Amino acid sequence: MTTPEHDATLFGRLRADGAEQVLFSHDARTGLRSVIVVHDTTLGPALGGVRMHAYADEHAALDDAARLARAMTLKASAAGLDLGGGWSVVIGDPARDKNEELLRAHGRFIATLGGRFVPVNDIGTTQADLKVIGREAAPVCDSGDPSPMTALGVLEGIRACLRADGADGGLAGVRVCVQGVGNVGSALAGLLAAESAELVVADTDAARAADVAKRLGARVVDPDAVVRTECDVLAPCAMGAVVNDATLPELRCRIIAGGANNVLAAPGHAAALADRGILYAPDFCVNAGGLVFLEEQLLGHDRARAERRVRQVGARLAEVIAQARRTGVTTTEAAVDLAEARLRAARARDRASSA
Ligand code: NAI
């Protein structure tokens, strides 16, 4: 039973996060337990993942969903999209607990939000699972892998960073270290190789790293050594918290720009990177290409148009870097400021039109 004290804490937390709504759902027949956070719909429907994971408890599930939902709001706003941010998590082991009835039950709860939350697959779910959810809720993002477009946006982001660093944005001979060559990392490595970058790759899956290296003529380094490898650009494309207290003094790159989410272990690491003279492309800005692609798909536009818009990730990042330099803040602060300014302007417009 929830105590009033606990309620206050929960609402206090939502207020602090700026979240609009949280839906806790339970389906007795299938045993579904899910949390959907609709963080902000000022700019449009909240798009976000369906993550299935055996969370320790519902607080851990809520924490994950709340953090990811806010990041989606910032990402969509910074990318200039007409989308809001949200996230949903299903509590359970995908290998053991996932089945059609459970996914359909989650879909029915998503449907109660009347299109305010648009789901896409994430860890523990596949596009096939989204098609099942889509039999109960609409719209859903269930076609087309966004990873190649995420990689294309990262490539343009790297180019913008090189220009901001005084170079011409060409990649020939630029040494880029790609950490993790899965969906995003391998696509990025392919794009970099096509522009004659000097490629270094690392992956905890040694066979995958070897395969990419052979195909693209890259050098493989040990996953534990990747952050210490001397390079122009470190492109994290695996897990988060790559920049932390332990790795910070070891970094030997000029630029960090990659596909991974939550690259900084703590907000303070943004200033620490700047102090070390390392240009950091805020993760939610530089990895927004996939989200741009999903919006284009929802709008029914073709791939060529999507690609043109994804390439604008570089221009937006250049604006963020320029703003950070003008105002003496970190690139992360500048990116958050730009995203929040767009949200504030939209809210003011909404208020003016309803007055
Ligand atoms: P993925 O699972 O296909 O690839 C991740 C790769 O990293 C795998 O090959 C894995 O073996 C490797 N890896 C894991 N830990 C590692 C470590 N410590 N060192 C080196 N390699 C390691 O995932 P995907 O889809 O490529 O996503 C990569 C990152 O980009 C994730 O953080 C994801 O959240 C983020 N992202 C992905 C988007 C997409 O369009 N797929 C969009 C935005 C962000």
Side-chain angles (χ1 to χ4, degrees):
M1 186 86 172
T2 314
T3 63
E5 195 180 69
H6 198 121
D7 262 5
T9 307
L10 208 48
F11 279 111
R13 191 229 152 105
L14 296 190
R15 205 168 26 250
D17 279 355
E20 288 177 14
Q21 185 180 11
V22 178
L23 186 67
F24 290 92
S25 305
H26 173 240
D27 180 66
R29 200 167 57 80
T30 59
L32 171 85
R33 288 177 301 152
S34 72
V35 183
I36 305 173
V37 177
V38 177
H39 179 261
D40 194 300
T41 56
T42 307
L43 299 169
L47 194 146
V50 179
R51 178 170 291 190
M52 185 160 180
H53 179 70
Y55 291 97
D57 58 33
E58 59 263 39
H59 297 290
L62 174 63
D63 281 349
D64 206 25
R67 184 178 55 83
L68 290 159
R70 179 171 181 271
M72 291 303 282
T73 299
L74 290 175
K75 190 185 292 202
S77 179
L81 305 181
D82 291 331
L83 290 173
W87 204 269
S88 79
V89 298
V90 174
I91 302 173
D93 177 351
R96 204 188 53 209
D97 305 324
K98 194 167 68 177
N99 57 56
E100 180 183 340
E101 286 312 311
L102 182 104
L103 291 169
R104 288 184 82 133
H106 187 50
R108 284 193 293 279
F109 287 119
I110 291 173
T112 65
L113 293 167
R116 277 161 42 76
F117 176 66
V118 181
V120 60
N121 60 298
D122 182 61
I123 297 167
T125 60
T126 62
Q127 288 195 347
D129 295 336
L130 263 290
K131 285 196 194 301
V132 174
I133 289 173
R135 279 147 73 183
E136 303 285 351
V140 302
C141 296
D142 63 358
S143 58
D145 175 11
S147 308
M149 291 293 173
T150 302
L152 181 63
V154 173
L155 177 79
E156 294 305 327
I158 290 174
R159 217 190 290 286
C161 290
L162 290 168
R163 286 197 184 113
D165 205 33
D168 63 5
L171 283 144
V174 173
R175 187 183 296 170
V176 185
C177 227
V178 182
Q179 180 190 37
V181 281
N183 294 322
V184 177
S186 64
L188 175 64
L191 293 170
L192 290 164
E195 299 210 22
S196 307
E198 187 190 330
L199 261 187
V200 181
V201 298
D203 202 298
T204 42
D205 182 333
R208 194 175 284 176
D211 173 60
V212 170
K214 188 167 166 221
R215 199 159 38 82
L216 301 174
R219 176 160 69 91
V220 179
V221 293
D222 191 278
D224 291 333
V226 67
V227 294
R228 293 194 298 274
T229 305
E230 190 167 359
C231 59
D232 298 298
V233 183
L234 173 65
C237 294
M239 73 305 173
V242 174
V243 177
N244 55 48
D245 290 344
T247 59
L248 197 58
E250 300 187 320
L251 292 165
R252 293 171 72 199
C253 56
R254 291 188 293 127
I255 292 166
I256 298 180
N261 285 313
N262 303 319
V263 167
L264 307 182
H269 291 128
L273 284 175
D275 288 347
R276 283 213 44 202
I278 297 173
L279 177 56
Y280 173 62
D283 43 21
F284 66 87
C285 274
V286 73
N287 72 16
L291 188 57
V292 175
F293 169 70
L294 293 176
E295 185 189 56
E296 287 289 307
Q297 281 216 316
L298 287 170
L299 293 169
H301 295 157
D302 64 26
R303 197 175 174 87
R305 193 194 135 112
E307 208 173 298
R308 273 199 306 280
R309 280 190 68 207
V310 169
R311 285 189 184 275
Q312 289 167 13
V313 164
R316 288 189 176 271
L317 182 58
E319 200 183 320
V320 163
I321 296 168
Q323 166 97 341
R325 286 177 177 171
R326 256 195 321 271
T327 55
V329 299
T330 66
T331 48
T332 303
E333 286 165 323
V336 171
D337 284 352
L338 281 172
E340 288 184 342
R342 187 163 170 251
L343 285 161
R344 273 195 305 278
R347 284 189 199 110
R349 239 189 350 263
D350 286 351
R351 272 196 304 275
S353 65
S354 62

